[in-house]
Amino acid sequence: MCAPWSPGQTITVGDHDGQIVEQAVRDLALAWSKAPIALELTGPAGGTWLIGSGEPKAVIRADTLHYMRALAGRDPDVALELVSGAESALAAARRARILF
């Protein structure tokens, strides 16, 4: 999902991309040390995941491709939507990084 990309370019998403997103989100969940959140990724290869242990303190929604780029350190200003819960969760989700 992270080929050379520019805004407006059409991205084709295959079944394997869903597996890559799932692994990236699992890695994020393993490294997560903040209050638990529900992460809703929209668009192709999206889904909903619990990040952290326990009852989520916030629900955060983002575009799948844009959030994967943010997790890789390529989009520090990713658009995140706080659907419900603690405002502090947005900052934690925005700062999160994983290697993939």
Side-chain angles (χ1 to χ4, degrees), residues 1-92:
M1 286 190 71
C2 201
W5 177 76
S6 62
Q9 182 179 348
T10 301
I11 302 290
T12 302
V13 177
D15 291 339
H16 66 284
D17 290 312
Q19 295 171 354
I20 293 168
V21 170
E22 288 173 8
Q23 183 61 57
V25 172
R26 276 194 296 271
D27 292 346
L28 172 63
L30 287 171
W32 191 259
S33 62
K34 305 295 183 191
I37 62 170
L39 178 63
E40 296 179 358
L41 297 178
T42 61
T48 301
W49 291 272
L50 174 64
I51 307 299
S53 297
E55 189 68 27
K57 304 298 183 210
V59 178
I60 296 174
R61 184 178 296 140
D63 174 80
T64 302
L65 178 60
H66 291 167
Y67 196 60
M68 291 298 107
R69 290 177 51 79
L71 286 176
R74 295 183 176 152
D75 186 1
D77 298 321
V78 64
L80 299 176
E81 176 187 354
L82 181 63
V83 177
S84 65
E87 185 79 27
S88 60
L90 283 175

Side-chain angles (χ1 to χ4, degrees), residues 85-99:
E87 185 79 27
S88 60
L90 283 175
R94 188 167 280 115
R95 285 191 311 269
R97 298 291 180 269
I98 59 168
L99 296 175

